């Protein structure tokens, strides 16, 4: 009886955020207006060409490509939390799995758009499919990103099926078309043993297969750089270096999302200090791994100082990019690691600030991987105006860079308004298991 | 004593070097009088000018920039002049052709790169930037070139190419005397001259010794270009395919399967890894969709 009451409370608590509220409309209005401004900047880029950006013949990869790497990176968190942690029996991550999956899907889906934004002639994307060569990492990237988006969608959808049934039955004041849609998407879910087994098997197979797929998308993204002979990219550890960095930015994104969902959706009973503490520890762990890869990535070429590498590294360590480089490394990685070692810092408030620094640092980290290398090619740049040699992003470029970030926020917000962001069915199952064990 | 000698030597060397450099970079060209007065036998008009522009953009613009556009490659020493400028336009047509054919310092010579007729077209293009220019045509009749008969014979024992230059005049076949003969072999990027330019003798004959180790195609064929230049008969050239090179059979880099090749020639390992990955994904997708189908169909509680 007690259990039944609890189940009802859980269901109503977790379904409560699924309704239109004033704050949601204001927030969406703000996002929509900002997106329009950014889209106008993109319109200018389409109309006038890439000349409106700071990109050119020498520095042809700048903010947009950094943004793409950042988006692909952040999307990897779905794999870490929903697959790696659940397969290794880390039960604490269950309430966070759907948040991680939503973030993964939103970032992965938008990552493809970010690449198109880097193209002066976006309609030529078709050429990749018509004339693409299987030997090119760009074709591998297009393939694996598409696959990851599809698999992430399924990974979000399949465990959601029981919750969709609950939504169709329990949600009040639902327009009929929405109720029918929930019912249709719940695929005749009846909580039978056979159905439970099907969901469990599918989820498990997905959890196993999403690991190599997620590793593939970010490793291939790193190969876009590492397979090019250029100072700063010509590295054999770029795959694991990128993947470890991806977990850092993904964890930070999940922490920020957790904070706002907990506060705005009144989920204090489900996302607790315990979860913040745990994910804080996870962030510390992945950051340490990333720090280790950073050490390798700069130590090895820094010891040898080959001609082009030396020029590149000097610019990073003490030259014109030094301020950006050191503030990214210190504020985005080293100081957060030190702070995260203290339990006090792993409470929701401080952790939110740390995660914000880490996430912004992660973006700038990609930025300083991408454009300084373009400024230091092996063949020296000669007889061109100064602004060809030194990359300075324009306002239009910055706005176009912000557009996909807004888009991600819109997708996450909308998804969190139509599906329960804490898995109801799984939470109830865990509770029932707990009760069983007590008896 | 010894120190003195060394100083003198150093001084002489230094002076010589200075003289050389000054000579090299001096602002004026020492054009022989007969070259100076050379004139074009083709009339400069819109057509020759636009043909010349194409040649100019391909061969000259990278250093001299586009005339009047101030986009000269200024990092060179000396800075190449803008050819639409006053000092360049003050030169005679003959001066300009001489400079093209001679070259100096960083300026290469185009003697064997651009034919005489094409050189005049480039000059025609440059003269278009000078409104005060009035062309004086040369009295040379280009039809005379058509009378020239060039034949090349190879003596494989002595490795000598013998060129005969005769003109089919009304009075009968007469040898072309003291004409310049240059022999080239076609390579990947342009033509390679064999030996030096030689002059024909009183019988219209000239000989060039061939190296024995020139790589040819699979059967050892070489494409040999013979060029004649004569005051009266102008510029004439013939091409002969002669089996006098070393047979070479190097497969082109794009012949076999390689990472840099087209899709149809992708390496097997890349193809199989890629297709294997996509195939595995399709299997996964089918498995999941089948599970969803089963889920949908199982209604019993």
């Amino acid at each position: 009886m007690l259990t039944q009451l609890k189940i009802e409370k859980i269901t109503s608590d977790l379904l409560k955020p699924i309704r239109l509220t004033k704050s949601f409309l204001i927030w969406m209005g703000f996002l929509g207006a900002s997106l329009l401004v950014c889209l106008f900047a993109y319109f200018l880029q389409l109309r006038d060409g890439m000349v409106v950006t700071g990109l050119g013949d020498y520095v042809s990869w700048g903010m947009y490509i950094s943004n793409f790497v950042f988006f692909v990176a952040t999307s990897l968190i779905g794999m870490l939390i929903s697959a790696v942690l659940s397969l290794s029996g880390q039960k604490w991550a269950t309430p966070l799995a759907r948040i991680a999956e939503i973030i993964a899907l939103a970032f992965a889906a938008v990552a493809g758009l970010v690449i198109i934004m880097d193209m002066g002639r976006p309609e030529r994307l078709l050429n990749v499919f018509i004339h693409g060569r299987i030997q090119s990492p760009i074709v591998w990237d297009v393939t694996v990103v598409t696959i990851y988006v599809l698999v992430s969608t399924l990974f979000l959808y399949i465990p959601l099926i029981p919750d969709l049934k609950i939504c169709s039955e329990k949600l009040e004041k639902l327009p009929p078309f929405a109720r029918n849609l929930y019912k249709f998407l719940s695929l005749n879910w009846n909580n039978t043993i056979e159905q439970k087994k099907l969901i469990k098997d599918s989820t498990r197979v997905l959890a196993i297969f999403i690991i190599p797929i997620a590793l593939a998308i970010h490793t291939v993204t790193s190969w876009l750089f590492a397979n090019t002979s250029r100072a700063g990219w010509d590295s054999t550890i770029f795959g694991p270096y990128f993947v470890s960095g991806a977990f850092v930015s993904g964890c930070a994104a999940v922490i920020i999302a957790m904070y706002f969902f907990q506060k705005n959706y009144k989920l204090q009973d489900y996302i607790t200090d315990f979860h913040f503490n745990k994910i804080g520890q996870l962030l510390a762990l992945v950051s340490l791994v990333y720090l280790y890869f950073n050490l390798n990535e700069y130590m090895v070429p820094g010891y040898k100082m080959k001609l082009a590498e030396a020029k590149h590294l000097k610019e990073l360590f003490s030259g014109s990019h030094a301020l950006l480089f050191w503030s990214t490394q210190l504020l985005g990685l080293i100081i957060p690691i030190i702070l995260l070692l203290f339990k006090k810092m792993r409470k929701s408030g401080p952790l939110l600030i740390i995660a914000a620094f880490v996430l912004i640092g992660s973006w700038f980290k990609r930025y300083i991987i991408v454009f300084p290398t373009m400024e230091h090619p092996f063949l020296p740049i000669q007889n061109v105006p100064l602004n060809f040699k030194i990359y300075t992003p324009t306002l239009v470029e910055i706005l176009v860079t912000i557009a996909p970030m807004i888009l991600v926020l819109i997708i996450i917000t909308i998804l969190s308004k139509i599906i329960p962001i804490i898995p109801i069915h799984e939470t109830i199952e865990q509770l029932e298991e707990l009760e069983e064990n007590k008896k | 004593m010894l120190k003195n000698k060394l100083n003198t030597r150093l001084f002489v060397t230094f002076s010589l070097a200075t003289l050389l450099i000054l000579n090299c970079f001096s602002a004026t060209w020492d054009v022989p009088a007969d070259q100076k007065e050379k004139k074009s036998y083709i009339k400069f008009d819109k057509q020759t000018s636009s043909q010349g522009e194409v040649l100019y953009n391909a061969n000259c613009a990278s250093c001299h920039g586009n005339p009047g556009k101030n986009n000269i490659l200024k990092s060179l020493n000396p800075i190449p002049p803008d050819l639409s400028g006053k000092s360049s336009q003050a030169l005679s047509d003959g001066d300009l052709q001489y400079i093209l054919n001679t070259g100096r310092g960083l300026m290469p010579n185009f003697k064997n790169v651009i034919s005489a007729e094409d050189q005049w077209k480039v000059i025609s293009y440059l003269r278009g930037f000078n409104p005060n220019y009035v062309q004086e045509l040369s009295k040379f009749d280009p039809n005379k070139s058509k009378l020239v008969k060039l034949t090349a014979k190879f003596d494989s024992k002595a490795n000598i190419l013998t060129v005969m230059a005769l003109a089919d005049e009304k009075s009968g076949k007469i040898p072309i005397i003291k004409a310049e003969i240059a022999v080239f072999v076609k390579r990947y990027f342009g033509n390679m001259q064999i030996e030096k330019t030689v002059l024909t003798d009183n019988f219209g004959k000239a000989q060039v010794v061939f190296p024995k180790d020139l790589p040819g195609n699979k059967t050892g064929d070489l494409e040999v270009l013979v060029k004649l230049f004569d005051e009266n008969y102008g510029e004439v050239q013939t091409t002969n395919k002669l089996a006098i090179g070393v047979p070479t059979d190097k497969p082109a880099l794009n012949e076999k399967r390689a990472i840099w090749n087209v899709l149809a020639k992708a390496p097997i390992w890349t193809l199989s890894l890629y297709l294997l990955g996509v195939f595995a994904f399709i299997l996964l997708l089918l498995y999941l969709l089948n599970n969803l189908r089963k889920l949908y169909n199982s209604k019993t509680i």
Side-chain angles (χ1 to χ4, degrees):
Chain A
M1 197 62 212
L2 193 69
T3 320
Q4 196 56 38
L5 270 178
K6 269 190 188 165
I7 288 173
E8 260 161 39
K9 186 177 179 299
I10 289 172
T11 313
S12 74
D13 277 357
L14 296 181
L15 284 179
K16 206 179 247 168
I18 307 181
R19 65 199 153 93
L20 286 180
T21 57
K22 220 180 200 173
S23 54
F24 167 75
L25 291 175
I26 293 170
W27 171 237
M28 284 303 285
F30 166 72
L31 287 179
S34 319
L35 187 65
L36 279 182
V37 173
C38 296
L39 286 180
F40 178 69
Y42 184 61
F43 162 73
L44 291 181
Q45 182 183 309
L46 277 184
R47 193 191 64 186
D48 301 338
M50 296 302 271
V51 72
V52 299
T53 69
L55 300 168
D57 281 1
Y58 297 102
V59 183
S60 52
W61 282 7
M63 261 194 180
Y64 297 157
I65 297 293
S66 322
N67 216 24
F68 169 69
V69 179
F70 173 76
F71 273 65
V72 174
T74 312
S75 77
L76 247 62
I77 193 62
M79 172 272 256
L80 180 69
I81 289 189
S82 318
V84 176
L85 291 187
S86 82
L87 285 176
S88 57
Q90 298 285 323
K91 288 234 160 64
W92 64 268
T94 313
L96 309 181
R98 192 158 294 154
I99 296 179
E101 268 311 306
I102 289 176
I103 288 178
L105 180 61
F107 275 92
V110 175
L113 289 180
V114 179
I115 276 290
I116 297 171
M117 285 171 167
D118 189 49
M119 300 175 73
R121 296 282 299 270
E123 79 279 6
R124 292 191 181 167
L125 180 73
L126 280 178
N127 288 344
V128 174
F129 301 100
I130 303 169
H131 307 293
R133 292 162 60 252
I134 279 179
Q135 299 100 307
S136 162
I138 289 180
V139 169
W140 309 341
D141 211 44
V142 171
T143 314
V144 284
V145 169
T146 315
I147 289 179
Y148 187 66
V149 171
L150 285 172
V151 171
S152 288
T153 313
L154 286 170
F155 203 27
L156 177 68
Y157 172 61
I158 291 178
L160 185 67
I161 291 172
D163 285 9
L164 289 171
K165 179 78 173 178
I166 298 172
C167 282
S168 80
E169 280 171 354
K170 299 276 165 73
L171 275 177
E172 289 152 20
K173 291 184 207 160
L174 206 60
F177 84 89
R179 198 175 296 283
N180 288 336
L181 193 63
Y182 278 126
K183 201 168 173 214
F184 171 71
L185 287 175
S186 66
L187 300 180
N188 289 334
W189 175 260
N190 262 324
N191 217 1
T192 64
I193 297 164
E194 192 198 349
Q195 284 179 327
K196 275 185 184 170
K197 193 178 175 301
L198 280 170
I199 295 266
K200 208 178 162 190
D201 289 352
S202 309
T203 314
R204 199 172 164 76
V205 167
L206 262 174
I208 292 168
F209 275 92
I210 205 164
I211 296 172
I213 295 170
L215 285 178
I217 69 162
H218 216 37
T219 309
V220 169
T221 307
S222 84
W223 288 346
L224 295 179
F225 299 88
N227 283 358
T228 321
S229 186
R230 268 178 179 273
W233 294 348
D234 187 9
S235 159
T236 54
I237 63 158
F238 245 44
Y241 174 53
F242 270 43
V243 169
S244 61
F247 293 150
V248 176
S249 67
C251 262
V254 167
I255 291 170
I256 295 170
M258 273 166 71
Y259 182 88
F260 285 102
F261 286 139
Q262 186 208 38
K263 289 281 175 292
N264 293 334
Y265 291 180
K266 311 257 174 323
L267 298 171
Q268 281 86 347
D269 291 344
Y270 305 89
I271 302 173
T272 60
D273 276 356
F274 166 75
H275 295 106
F276 278 104
N277 182 37
K278 278 284 183 191
I279 198 148
Q281 286 172 346
L282 184 67
L283 179 59
L285 173 71
V286 292
S287 298
L288 278 169
V289 175
Y290 190 43
L291 183 66
Y292 167 69
F293 275 110
N294 265 283
L295 194 69
N296 277 277
E297 187 49 34
Y298 291 111
M299 163 68 197
V300 174
Y303 189 85
K304 293 180 282 196
M305 281 292 187
K306 288 188 270 185
L307 196 65
E309 296 275 354
K311 200 175 157 201
H312 172 67
L313 289 178
K314 273 178 193 157
E315 283 293 317
L316 287 186
F317 292 162
S318 53
S320 53
H321 307 315
L323 182 68
L324 194 60
F325 178 79
W326 289 114
S327 37
T328 305
Q329 296 288 28
L330 287 172
L331 297 173
L333 194 61
I334 295 168
I335 296 175
I337 291 175
I338 297 169
L339 292 177
L340 284 169
L341 297 179
F342 300 99
K343 198 170 181 190
K344 268 187 192 165
M345 290 292 151
R346 298 197 298 265
K347 290 206 174 342
S348 63
L351 196 56
L352 172 75
I353 296 165
I354 293 173
F357 270 93
V358 171
L359 193 67
I360 294 166
S362 298
W363 191 90
F364 279 103
K365 178 71 190 162
R366 270 79 196 166
Y367 188 54
I368 54 174
I369 286 175
V370 174
F371 87 93
T373 285
M374 299 296 289
E375 288 182 356
H376 310 126
F378 286 135
L379 289 176
I381 305 174
Q382 286 175 328
N383 305 310
V384 296
L386 190 69
N387 65 334
F388 283 27
K389 291 186 204 171
I390 292 172
Y391 171 64
T392 333
T394 60
L395 178 65
V396 170
E397 200 174 352
I398 294 169
L399 287 175
V400 174
T401 305
I402 294 172
M405 301 180 184
I406 299 172
L407 205 56
V408 157
L409 287 178
I410 291 179
I411 295 176
I412 295 175
T413 312
I414 291 181
L415 279 178
S416 74
K417 275 288 165 190
I418 54 179
I419 57 175
I421 54 156
I422 308 279
I424 302 175
H425 180 72
E426 275 170 314
T427 311
I428 292 171
E429 261 191 346
Q430 272 191 3
L431 183 80
E432 281 171 346
E433 263 176 42
L434 215 67
E435 296 288 319
E436 284 284 316
N437 291 345
K438 268 184 195 169
K439 280 174 194 169
Chain B
M1 185 66 193
L2 189 76
K3 202 181 170 190
N4 226 352
K5 222 177 174 178
L6 197 71
N7 272 346
T8 322
R9 271 189 196 170
L10 269 175
F11 177 74
V12 170
T13 320
F14 183 73
S15 318
L16 272 175
T18 317
L19 267 175
L20 264 172
I21 291 168
L22 279 180
N23 188 40
C24 203
F25 295 154
S26 62
T28 55
W29 290 74
D30 292 326
V31 183
D34 59 325
Q35 296 285 330
K36 210 174 180 66
E37 268 148 41
K38 266 187 150 186
K39 291 169 189 103
S40 163
Y41 55 86
I42 56 166
K43 200 177 155 20
F44 294 171
D45 54 21
K46 266 191 184 165
Q47 198 192 348
T48 58
S49 167
S50 66
Q51 287 169 340
E53 185 179 358
V54 175
L55 289 159
Y56 180 90
N57 288 340
N59 297 286
C60 322
S62 57
C63 296
H64 286 282
N66 301 98
K69 290 276 162 64
N70 197 25
N71 55 353
I72 295 160
L73 193 57
K74 293 196 182 88
S75 60
L76 298 181
N77 185 13
I79 298 176
D82 180 344
L83 298 175
S84 67
K86 261 186 191 165
S87 58
S88 299
Q89 291 291 343
L91 297 168
S92 73
D93 293 346
D95 286 336
L96 290 170
Q97 201 197 35
Y98 176 79
I99 294 169
L100 269 172
N101 278 329
T102 319
R104 180 173 67 182
L106 288 175
M107 160 98 181
N109 81 66
F110 290 89
K111 192 175 163 67
N112 299 321
V113 181
I114 304 177
S115 71
E117 194 179 326
D118 283 348
Q119 288 180 356
W120 289 125
K121 286 176 182 168
V122 172
I123 295 167
S124 159
Y125 167 63
L126 292 175
R127 290 306 191 194
F129 294 91
N130 183 356
N132 302 321
Y133 173 78
V134 183
Q135 192 192 6
E136 280 181 62
L137 272 171
S138 114
K139 282 170 190 136
F140 171 74
D141 174 13
N143 284 325
K144 288 211 84 168
S145 300
K146 291 174 187 165
L147 304 175
V148 177
K149 275 217 148 172
L150 267 181
T151 48
K153 264 188 189 164
F154 190 73
D155 176 0
S156 54
K157 271 184 195 160
N159 244 33
I160 286 173
L161 187 80
T162 307
V163 179
M164 287 298 293
L166 299 171
D168 253 336
E169 293 284 3
K170 277 172 194 160
S171 53
K173 279 188 181 172
I174 57 155
I176 305 172
I177 300 163
K178 285 198 173 169
E180 287 180 13
I181 298 284
V183 177
F184 302 88
V185 167
K186 215 173 195 153
R187 302 279 84 178
Y188 275 124
F189 303 101
N191 303 323
M192 179 176 76
Q193 190 171 5
I194 305 295
E195 295 291 305
K196 288 177 196 161
T197 304
V198 288
L199 296 180
T200 51
D201 61 10
N202 289 339
F203 307 101
K205 188 170 96 176
Q207 289 188 320
V208 173
V209 181
F210 246 75
K212 286 179 179 171
D213 54 355
L214 277 182
N217 66 2
K218 274 183 198 172
T219 49
D221 287 344
L222 287 178
E223 219 170 295
V224 179
L225 241 100
V226 179
K227 243 187 200 179
L228 169 138
F229 182 77
D230 181 77
E231 289 293 318
N232 295 319
Y233 293 99
E235 205 179 64
V236 180
Q237 70 173 54
T238 57
T239 318
N240 307 275
K241 207 170 203 179
L242 301 173
I244 57 177
V246 180
T248 320
D249 188 13
K250 267 190 194 166
L253 283 174
N254 60 357
E255 225 161 70
K256 289 183 178 168
R257 288 184 179 276
I259 206 91
W260 55 81
N261 220 330
V262 290
L263 178 59
K265 287 181 181 175
I268 299 286
W269 67 266
T270 327
L271 267 175
S272 30
L273 276 182
Y274 180 88
L275 294 176
L276 203 72
V278 174
F279 183 66
F281 164 69
I282 292 171
L283 281 187
L284 172 71
L285 201 64
L286 289 177
Y287 166 77
L288 292 170
L289 290 178
N290 188 42
N291 271 5
L292 291 181
R293 188 186 58 84
K294 279 190 212 159
L295 194 82
Y296 184 76
N297 289 335
S298 81
K299 276 184 178 174
T300 47
I301 301 169

